[in-house]
């Protein structure tokens, strides 16, 4: 199901508002910036930015990735309508992650997911991704918010950062089934 949603995300129209913050050692914002992009229906966001080393960073839900992970699941909540799926990679890699997802037991839709790379990129000490799939559509749940937090640096220079992206104004008109 995640693969279908990922494919859909490449073709829907959506507005993505991202606020990036540099934080001091107490977590207070030192600098911030905000960017709004509109991804047109059937196209990629403008402006297109180059892929970085984290492209391809993923979850165990793709068929091609499942063998790379140990996965456990347990009921979430009293009524059993949700599952908590925890995953950890069998080996460390910048393209594999530790984490957990809350999944709708009836549909298989991801409701939320928390991830951290099993191997950090160079000069990154810590990084977490918190993803909410709060946009409920006829095609399934789509991302509504992604929060990335982390810290890293070089020698004595360490910085903390946070980026929050909100996905709004989805347009699924004309998107094939």
């Amino acid at each position: 199901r995640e693969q279908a949603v990922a494919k859909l995300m490449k073709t829907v129209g959506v507005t993505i508002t991202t606020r990036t913050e540099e934080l001091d050692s107490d977590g207070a914002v030192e600098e911030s910036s905000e960017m709004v992009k509109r991804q047109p229906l059937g196209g990629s966001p403008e402006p297109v930015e180059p892929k970085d080393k984290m492209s391809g960073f993923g979850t165990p839900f793709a068929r091609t990735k499942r063998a790379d992970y140990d996965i456990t699941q347990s009921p979430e909540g009293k009524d059993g309508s949700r599952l908590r799926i925890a995953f950890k990679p069998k080996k460390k890699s910048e393209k594999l992650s530790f984490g957990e997802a809350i999944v709708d037991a009836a549909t298989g839709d991801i409701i939320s997911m928390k991830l951290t790379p099993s191997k950090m990129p160079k000069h990154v000490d810590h990084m977490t991704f918190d993803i909410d799939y709060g946009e409920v559509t006829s095609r399934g749940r789509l991302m509504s918010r992604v929060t990335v937090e982390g810290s890293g640096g070089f020698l004595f220079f360490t910085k903390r950062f946070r980026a929050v992206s909100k996905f709004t104004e989805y347009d699924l008109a004309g998107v094939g089934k």
Side-chain angles (χ1 to χ4, degrees), residues 139-155:
R139 302 291 303 278
R141 289 178 172 267
L142 299 177
M143 285 188 290
S144 57
R145 181 182 179 109
V146 176
T147 303
V148 180
E149 294 185 82
S151 64
F154 183 72
L155 297 175

Side-chain angles (χ1 to χ4, degrees), residues 44-157:
S44 59
E46 295 295 333
V48 175
E49 299 188 14
K51 291 183 178 181
D52 63 14
K53 290 179 88 175
M54 291 306 290
S55 65
F57 170 73
T59 69
F61 301 115
R63 285 187 189 108
T64 58
K65 297 278 188 186
R66 288 185 192 151
D68 296 332
Y69 286 90
D70 290 321
I71 301 171
T72 59
Q73 73 179 38
S74 58
E76 174 73 14
K78 293 179 182 178
D79 64 359
S81 65
R82 296 179 175 188
L83 297 172
R84 178 178 303 273
I85 299 176
F87 48 90
K88 64 179 185 175
K90 293 179 180 175
K91 64 178 181 168
K92 289 187 175 187
S93 165
E94 287 182 6
K95 295 188 185 264
L96 301 176
S97 57
F98 290 99
E100 65 180 23
I102 303 299
V103 176
D104 183 305
T107 64
D109 286 345
I110 300 170
I111 298 168
S112 65
M113 187 165 26
K114 294 180 192 262
L115 309 163
T116 189
S118 64
K119 181 179 179 187
M120 294 296 157
K122 194 173 188 176
H123 304 298
V124 176
D125 299 323
H126 172 76
M127 183 166 38
T128 59
F129 294 78
D130 192 350
I131 307 167
D132 291 321
Y133 292 82
E135 186 71 29
V136 180
T137 72
S138 61
R139 302 291 303 278
R141 289 178 172 267
L142 299 177
M143 285 188 290
S144 57
R145 181 182 179 109
V146 176
T147 303
V148 180
E149 294 185 82
S151 64
F154 183 72
L155 297 175
F156 303 108
F157 302 100

Side-chain angles (χ1 to χ4, degrees), residues 8-9 11 25-28 35 38 41 55 62 66-67 71 73 84 86 89 106 114 117 121 135 138 169 173:
L8 182 63
M9 284 297 296
T11 59
S25 59
D26 295 323
M35 178 174 60
R38 177 71 190 162
L41 187 64
S55 65
R66 288 185 192 151
I71 301 171
Q73 73 179 38
R84 178 178 303 273
K114 294 180 192 262
E135 186 71 29
S138 61
E169 301 173 11

